[in-house]
Amino acid sequence: MSHFAEHPSPYLLDEAPEALVASPNAGQPSYIKDHRQRLRSRFRQGGAEPMPDYELLELLLFRAIPRRDVKPLARALLDRFGDFNRVISASDTRLKDIDGVGEAVVTELKIVEAAAQRLARAKVMQRHVVSSWDALLDYCHTTMAHRETEEFRVLYLDRKNVLIADEAQGKGTVDHVPVYPREVAKRALELNASAMILVHNHPSGDPTPSGADIDMTNQIAAACGALGLTLHDHLIIGKSAELSFRAEGYL
């Protein structure tokens, strides 16, 4: 008896043999094939805007899971994480907690996350920050708003306020990230930067600064002042809003 006869439904997880990856419709039930063709056609004709999150997720999952109906998995992901953005931004570990999610699904989701971040980044790098402020905020939200732990980034600018570097200085827990003011200022000198913008996220979703956030900002501002550097702002990114230290009078 052949291997397939002994195991009539061997592809319950997202991993599929190379033959099926190369020919994803092989052995696929006709109703699944028809549904996928209809969904792809709607996407090509009308774009993503009118599509609900679960259908956009289905389109991604088609590539990772060649033969199975992926709508239940798309629904399960949205039930757990809330929306499309939070699904693709979720950690590998949390994604794999969902029944049916394996390496192939995680890889597809993380490719999309990386592409979204790269597109947003391209709109701000080597651009004048003041004239592209909205794009800068969009980039910060794309890369940081849905993270489950705090991350601290520094945007380094040249004398014309053009963004020349965007660097993660540290990652931490759900409510703390270690930051070293001297290292931030030292890195600015290495890059020949003249100014900087600090950015970090609050996984809680509330961008209100903590006492530690204010103290750390003051320390970095003092270090910048001693070296002739300008600290333009410190942005705290929440789930759907951001707070500017400059606008709120903290700087």
Side-chain angles (χ1 to χ4, degrees), residues 128-138 197 233 235 242 244:
H128 190 277
V129 167
V130 174
S131 61
S132 57
W133 190 254
D134 288 343
L136 180 68
L137 293 178
D138 287 343
I197 298 171
D233 209 341
L235 300 173
E242 72 283 340
S244 160

Side-chain angles (χ1 to χ4, degrees), residues 2 5 7 12 24 27 32 43 45 59 65 74 85 95 108 110 113 117 126 162 166 169 173 191 199 206 212 227 249:
S2 70
H7 303 284
L12 296 180
I32 293 179
F43 174 75
Q45 292 169 10
L59 288 170
I65 305 176
N85 290 336
L95 286 169
E108 292 297 327
K110 291 306 168 184
E113 182 188 27
Q117 292 181 4
Q126 302 301 324
V162 171
D166 162 30
Q169 297 293 315
T173 63
L191 293 168
V199 189
D206 180 1
L227 295 172

Side-chain angles (χ1 to χ4, degrees), residues 3 26 37 48 55 60 81 114 116 119 130 132 139 143 179 192 196-197 203 207 216 222 227:
H3 172 76
Q37 289 177 341
E55 288 186 338
L60 287 179
F81 299 108
L119 286 169
V130 174
S132 57
Y139 169 62
T143 55
V179 178
N192 198 29
M196 66 183 73
I197 298 171
M216 176 265 291
L227 295 172

Side-chain angles (χ1 to χ4, degrees), residues 126-165:
Q126 302 301 324
R127 305 287 180 90
H128 190 277
V129 167
V130 174
S131 61
S132 57
W133 190 254
D134 288 343
L136 180 68
L137 293 178
D138 287 343
Y139 169 62
C140 292
H141 277 280
T142 298
T143 55
M144 303 177 76
H146 302 293
R147 291 185 177 275
E148 297 166 353
T149 57
E150 281 199 11
E151 181 180 64
F152 181 81
R153 307 187 72 85
V154 182
L155 310 180
Y156 293 99
L157 316 174
D158 67 11
R159 285 182 173 81
K160 295 181 179 180
N161 284 328
V162 171
L163 184 61
I164 57 174

Side-chain angles (χ1 to χ4, degrees), residues 93-107:
T93 301
R94 292 196 66 201
L95 286 169
K96 289 178 181 179
D97 283 342
I98 305 295
D99 187 33
V101 173
E103 287 295 334
V105 164
V106 171
T107 298

